[in-house]
Amino acid sequence: MNKVDLAFTPALQQAELIRRREVSPLELVEIYLERISSLNPQLGSYFTVMAQQAYDDAQAKTEILASSVETLRQSVSTLPPFFGVPISVKDLNSVVGVPCTYGHPALLNNIASYDEGVVTRIKQAGFVILGKTATSELGSFPYTEPTGFPPARNPWNLEYTAGGSSGGAAAAVAAGLCALAQASDGGGSIRGPAACCGLVGIKPSRGRVSHAPVGDRLSGIAMNGPIARTVADAAALLDVMSGYITGDPYWLPDPEPSFQAAAHRKPVNLRIAYSTSIPPLGEADANCKQGVLQTVKLLQELGHKVEEKCPDFSGLVEPFQVVWQTSVAAAGIPGEILQPMNRWLLERNGSAGEYLKAVYELQMVARQIVAFFDTVDVLVLPVYLHSPIRVGEWAHLSAEETFQNIVHWIAPCPVANATGQPAIALPVGFDQLGLPIGVQLIGKPAAEATLISLASQLEAANPWIEHRPSL
């Protein structure tokens, strides 16, 4: 297998190749570091490349595998599941000893003093961390163009965005600059970049992945999750990330069987609803609409019962915005050094009473939306309401115009954040510009396994793993 094929080999297969000693962790890391050196200047996918740390970790793991054959036979079954597989971490999450910028140049020397819980689990699973991927400023934008950093560009067409706020993570996976990626989603920040870049992205249920050792500042709307090339890889990384850590304010039990097992289990025939519009914010454009309709047709052919209907999302818009914009104030960065939209959001930030009122309203509307799933197993929606924008396309707009454009573009995503339900984004094809088209599946609370099984069935019927951007 050549270097390019290895770089695009699914992570689970890489782990198996390492266990069979057909490739070493050091070989994989060297391949990815070489690709990062060559392609990251074009893509802007990494803020920080942890080259020496990754090399040293991979060297140590390779030496373990170089033990005697007899010792290896005895110990290979006890190796962590992703021993030696390279991964990236989003630059909203702390990795000890490495800068954590939150997408702001003033924090370039903000060296993390601890590993976040999700990073600890990634290390325990045997991964080698290649670096910190690009994010929009404070994770506020659905495109990744923070001041002082190169924009994260779409590997399928460099004139277009890779999405946000996990744009760097998606660009890195799609371009073969890591095997898979940790990301986070507070309003579509996993699903949007996954859709822009032709990948699988899972926004887990509330309480599935711990925020330890820090607290949850946004009333449960934001979650860590995986971005990967295949459903099985994403499911396996979600297994790694999931689980209670002491002091979590809410949590879910570990799945039985695992999410990875769910990716290999055929789903029962499901009751599936779909919509191509998000009232009161509008209808999807032709590309995004076609992605939903194509998926619906395939679901019907697979034997699922499908009907066009959708819960009322109109009551979510205003309270979600109030809760979401408080993340800018919580960051504690002076408004005068923020990008214009974040500065505008900071100036609009209300009182604690207004925040709590918005949380109350959000929870009330969320109850009504979750009740819709009493008679439906899965809801199919577009990920965004229109295709990816060009890099810099909205740079000339006022802060308020930018915000309104964002609200309209990402309209299908925040519902799952508000309700705490799981959602998965899947690629379904390409538009006339060669950009990927994606859809999202939203499931019942805590029903990631159902979504993963269904997504795996769709993946088998419409395989996309052989598609690669022609960088």
Side-chain angles (χ1 to χ4, degrees):
M1 190 180 296
N2 64 42
K3 290 182 178 182
V4 175
D5 288 340
L6 269 174
F8 283 93
T9 297
L12 286 166
Q13 292 180 33
Q14 288 185 359
E16 184 59 30
L17 290 171
I18 289 170
R19 287 172 180 275
R20 296 203 303 259
R21 296 202 296 182
E22 294 179 23
V23 66
S24 74
L26 188 57
E27 287 175 295
L28 279 177
V29 164
E30 288 177 337
I31 287 170
Y32 282 118
L33 290 177
E34 182 180 317
R35 292 181 64 82
I36 290 168
S37 177
S38 174
L39 297 174
N40 195 57
Q42 301 175 55
L43 291 167
S45 52
Y46 284 88
F47 283 165
T48 301
V49 181
M50 296 163 51
Q52 192 60 53
Q53 297 100 313
Y55 183 90
D56 291 346
D57 189 14
Q59 177 70 43
K61 287 181 166 65
T62 297
E63 289 172 0
I64 291 172
L65 290 168
S67 305
S68 71
V69 174
E70 184 61 35
T71 301
L72 184 64
R73 282 174 181 164
Q74 295 172 0
S75 63
V76 70
S77 62
T78 64
L79 289 175
F82 284 101
F83 186 82
V85 175
I87 194 173
S88 63
V89 173
K90 185 177 176 180
D91 208 22
L92 292 182
N93 297 82
S94 294
V95 177
V96 66
V98 180
C100 190
T101 72
Y102 303 95
H104 200 288
L107 298 174
L108 281 169
N109 295 318
N110 177 43
I111 308 301
S113 59
Y114 62 91
D115 283 333
E116 289 196 19
V118 69
V119 173
T120 298
R121 293 189 185 279
I122 283 169
K123 289 181 175 180
Q124 290 171 342
F127 284 107
V128 177
I129 300 175
L130 293 169
K132 303 294 292 297
T133 52
T135 179
S136 58
E137 185 182 82
L138 308 182
S140 298
F141 298 79
Y143 48 91
T144 306
E145 302 174 22
T147 302
F149 299 91
R153 296 180 179 273
N154 196 314
W156 297 95
N157 188 326
L158 295 176
E159 294 183 10
Y160 288 82
T161 184
S165 61
S166 307
V173 175
L177 305 190
C178 58
L180 70 183
Q182 175 271 336
S184 57
D185 189 317
S189 288
I190 288 174
R191 291 160 287 162
C196 288
C197 295
L199 302 168
V200 180
I202 301 176
K203 197 291 288 183
S205 297
R206 183 174 298 146
R208 181 67 69 193
V209 180
S210 174
H211 289 283
V214 296
D216 168 24
R217 295 183 298 186
L218 285 174
S219 299
I221 68 173
M223 292 298 298
N224 290 294
I227 292 179
R229 293 189 192 90
T230 69
V231 174
D233 275 3
L237 181 52
L238 183 56
D239 281 324
V240 167
M241 293 173 151
S242 297
Y244 172 78
I245 296 178
T246 302
D248 286 344
Y250 38 71
W251 63 92
L252 293 171
D254 293 336
E256 288 292 343
S258 68
F259 293 131
Q260 185 180 344
H264 301 286
R265 186 173 64 241
K266 182 180 178 181
V268 299
N269 290 342
L270 299 169
R271 302 163 299 172
I272 298 175
Y274 77 94
S275 179
T276 59
S277 64
I278 308 297
L281 296 171
E283 181 84 12
D285 74 0
N287 288 327
C288 298
K289 184 174 183 178
Q290 182 57 37
V292 172
L293 297 179
Q294 178 182 327
T295 303
V296 165
K297 183 175 183 293
L298 184 53
L299 288 167
Q300 290 172 325
E301 292 171 355
L302 291 168
H304 301 287
K305 181 181 178 182
V306 183
E307 61 178 313
E308 185 174 9
K309 63 177 181 178
C310 188
D312 181 8
F313 299 152
S314 58
L316 281 179
V317 178
E318 185 174 346
F320 186 87
Q321 291 176 13
V322 172
V323 172
W324 180 75
Q325 72 189 29
T326 60
S327 64
V328 178
I333 296 177
E336 58 267 23
I337 62 171
L338 292 173
Q339 289 183 270
M341 191 193 79
N342 275 338
R343 190 183 317 136
W344 179 75
L345 289 173
L346 182 61
E347 291 167 354
R348 294 180 69 216
N349 192 55
S351 66
E354 289 170 327
Y355 172 82
L356 290 174
K357 182 174 181 288
V359 170
Y360 170 82
E361 292 173 351
L362 203 61
Q363 291 174 350
M364 292 294 289
V365 178
R367 289 182 185 276
Q368 298 168 18
I369 293 171
V370 173
F372 171 85
F373 286 80
D374 289 344
T375 57
V376 167
D377 298 303
V378 175
L379 174 63
V380 181
L381 295 176
V383 178
Y384 285 161
L385 284 185
H386 62 77
S387 301
I389 61 171
R390 290 179 179 271
V391 172
E393 184 171 333
W394 293 347
H396 68 286
L397 299 178
S398 69
E400 186 171 3
E401 288 171 328
T402 301
F403 183 73
Q404 292 305 320
N405 279 8
I406 288 172
V407 169
H408 177 266
W409 189 27
I410 71 168
C413 283
V415 57
N417 301 94
T419 63
Q421 293 170 261
I424 184 168
L426 304 169
V428 296
F430 296 90
D431 67 14
Q432 65 275 15
L433 295 173
L435 292 168
I437 300 170
V439 298
Q440 67 170 322
L441 316 176
I442 299 175
K444 292 174 179 286
E448 286 96 332
T450 299
L451 292 184
I452 288 166
S453 294
L454 182 61
S456 188
Q457 186 184 40
L458 288 169
E459 180 184 56
N462 179 29
W464 53 77
I465 186 62
E466 297 304 321
H467 294 292
R468 299 177 188 172
S470 55
L471 287 167

